[in-house]
Amino acid sequence: MNLAKSTYQRIVLVSRPKGMPTEENFELQTLPQPSPDSLGEDEVLVSNHYLSLDPYMRGRMSALKSYAPSQLLNETMIGATAGEVVASNYAGLKKGDTVTGHLGWAEMGVINGQQLRRIDTENIPLSAHLGILGMPGVTAWYGVNVILNAQPGQTLLVSAAGGAVGSVVGQLAKLKGCRVVGIAGGAEKCRHAIEHQGFDACIDYKQMGSKDLDKEFVLALSQAAPEGIDLLFENVGSSGFDAALACLNPHAKIALCGMVAGYNSRAEPLKNAGKLLTMRATLQGFIITEQLDSWPQAIAELTELVINKKLACRETVAAGLAAAPGAFIGMLNGQNLGKQLVRLAD
Ligand SMILES: NC(=O)c1ccc[n+]([C@@H]2O[C@H](COP(=O)([O-])OP(=O)(O)OC[C@H]3O[C@@H](n4cnc5c(N)ncnc54)[C@H](OP(=O)(O)O)[C@@H]3O)[C@@H](O)[C@H]2O)c1
């Protein structure tokens, strides 16, 4: 964002997608910049440097009832941001501080200072606070530590293994001494998971082409996890989830984090749900924004692991606000490796 200019840009949702979103669902608008002199009590003017793109945004674009309210039409698209304070009427923040918040798909914004978190960028880059040290990292930490309580020697399967959450899940589980198997779309994602993130095996579901996909998936899983699945971190739903149910060990635990395969279309029905009973499995769905008590510990532990280079951080970064709709659609299509971000300023 150019502070010398008198305008800034934002993106609003102008129509609700039917199926996969398209660029036409969004509109880039130019507005006058808020003046530092116009800030009210406790308000802060922030220049956004990075915007986080996340699958949950697809759910918010729908008018259907869910755990959170829908995105309003003709309003700035919601989203987490990381940036720099331009002016502040809030005692806890000053010009130049780096912060994260939820200013949405916009180059700048005004927000109450209590809704911002000041972050240290001395040892860790700003962008990481939206990924491995932000909501996706905390989600991975919570699932692995609290829901699954991963133990050495257990086999953990994670889907969307090349993405923001899945890549951290796999690395945390390896640090716990698990055998880690991933499912991801494409040879590059699988190679990256094994070579750079320590996965023991990774199944490329996009390589599967047989008429009997269910059987092919179960066969691939039983080869990658010959001793069965003790822990499942589920991000996708669909045929991979169904095949994983078929391979569960007795008393398996499942952290049901997301079902992204059903966000743009109707989720496929499960055929192997009976395994939840016969394997006496425990399945827990969770929404990480409801687990705020866990965030400080999660962020502290993740920060230490990143600083000590025990966790690798991978990002896919689009350039400029206008690229956000395309990058969001690309992320839903699996074009991201690691956390999908948009860089708005350096
Ligand atoms: N419960 C919570 O509080 C919480 C918090 C954060 C995220 N989540 C959920 O966690 C999951 C991962 O989120 P993320 O932020 O880490 O996103 P991400 O994995 O970085 O990006 C989404 C990935 O989903 C995969 N995907 C999309 N459509 C698919 C399909 N039809 N079949 C299989 N894979 C598909 C793609 O990877 P491939 O190339 O592998 O297909 C894509 O890269 C999502 O379901 C999200 O909603 C939940």
Side-chain angles (χ1 to χ4, degrees):
M1 193 202 61
N2 185 347
L3 289 172
K5 286 194 319 187
S6 58
T7 57
Y8 77 102
Q9 292 195 304
R10 69 168 184 171
I11 290 176
V12 301
L13 186 72
V14 288
S15 59
R16 301 204 183 278
K18 295 184 179 70
M20 183 63 78
T22 66
E23 301 252 0
E24 286 68 41
N25 296 128
F26 305 93
E27 186 177 283
L28 184 67
Q29 297 183 341
T30 302
L31 300 175
Q33 278 192 17
S35 150
D37 299 335
S38 67
L39 293 180
E41 191 181 345
D42 286 343
E43 282 189 336
V44 179
L45 175 60
V46 181
S47 164
N48 295 328
H49 291 201
Y50 287 95
L51 166 62
S52 172
L53 298 179
D54 300 272
Y56 77 83
M57 293 167 173
R58 175 62 187 88
R60 302 286 178 90
M61 290 176 192
S62 157
L64 293 177
K65 189 176 173 201
S66 186
Y67 64 90
S70 297
Q71 164 73 38
L72 294 175
L73 290 178
N74 302 312
E75 292 289 342
T76 306
M77 267 297 300
I78 50 156
T81 47
E84 189 177 329
V85 171
V86 177
S88 174
N89 275 356
Y90 177 63
L93 289 169
K94 62 179 186 318
K95 187 175 184 304
D97 281 348
T98 43
V99 290
T100 54
H102 282 82
L103 287 123
W105 296 22
E107 291 176 318
M108 68 190 312
V110 174
I111 191 167
N112 188 300
Q114 288 166 16
Q115 292 171 25
L116 294 169
R117 190 164 71 88
R118 184 147 56 92
I119 49 166
D120 172 17
T121 50
E122 203 168 308
N123 300 310
I124 294 177
L126 182 61
S127 58
H129 294 273
L130 294 176
I132 202 160
L133 301 181
M135 187 273 286
V138 174
T139 302
W141 182 94
Y142 187 83
V144 170
N145 288 288
V146 180
I147 297 185
L148 299 177
N149 185 22
Q151 299 295 319
Q154 292 184 308
T155 296
L156 179 145
L157 174 70
V158 57
S159 50
V165 174
S167 59
V168 183
V169 168
Q171 294 183 77
L172 289 175
K174 276 312 292 178
L175 291 171
K176 296 263 170 199
C178 295
R179 173 175 176 79
V180 174
V181 178
I183 302 175
E188 191 198 350
K189 282 191 184 179
C190 283
R191 194 171 44 248
H192 190 267
I194 293 170
E195 289 178 6
H196 298 286
Q197 296 179 323
F199 283 58
D200 297 287
C202 186
I203 297 166
D204 174 4
Y205 75 90
K206 288 189 176 164
Q207 278 299 309
M208 293 186 180
S210 79
K211 286 190 189 127
D212 195 343
L213 182 63
D214 296 343
K215 220 170 165 181
E216 196 177 344
F217 233 132
V218 172
L219 180 66
L221 277 177
S222 49
Q223 285 167 349
E227 293 180 15
I229 297 165
D230 302 302
L231 308 172
L232 171 60
F233 194 113
E234 186 54 49
N235 284 322
V236 170
S238 190
S239 42
F241 183 30
D242 220 7
L245 294 180
C247 301
L248 291 182
N249 283 335
H251 306 290
K253 289 188 204 163
I254 303 170
L256 185 52
C257 175
M259 301 191 82
V260 67
Y263 293 0
N264 291 302
S265 56
R266 190 179 286 267
E268 286 173 42
L270 295 174
K271 299 174 192 128
N272 296 316
K275 287 282 180 181
L276 294 169
L277 170 64
T278 56
M279 291 299 117
R280 292 86 74 205
T282 307
L283 181 151
Q284 187 179 337
F286 70 106
I287 298 296
I288 199 60
T289 46
E290 291 179 350
Q291 307 300 334
L292 294 181
D293 289 353
S294 295
W295 283 59
Q297 186 187 353
I299 291 174
E301 288 187 19
L302 290 165
T303 302
E304 200 173 321
L305 290 169
V306 171
I307 287 175
N308 292 325
K309 304 206 182 319
K310 297 260 171 61
L311 281 182
C313 169
R314 178 71 197 228
E315 297 167 345
T316 299
V317 185
L321 186 65
F328 178 68
I329 295 163
M331 185 260 300
L332 291 175
N333 277 315
Q335 284 167 19
N336 59 311
L337 184 52
K339 174 68 199 154
Q340 178 69 58
L341 299 165
V342 182
R343 190 173 54 247
L344 306 175
D346 291 321

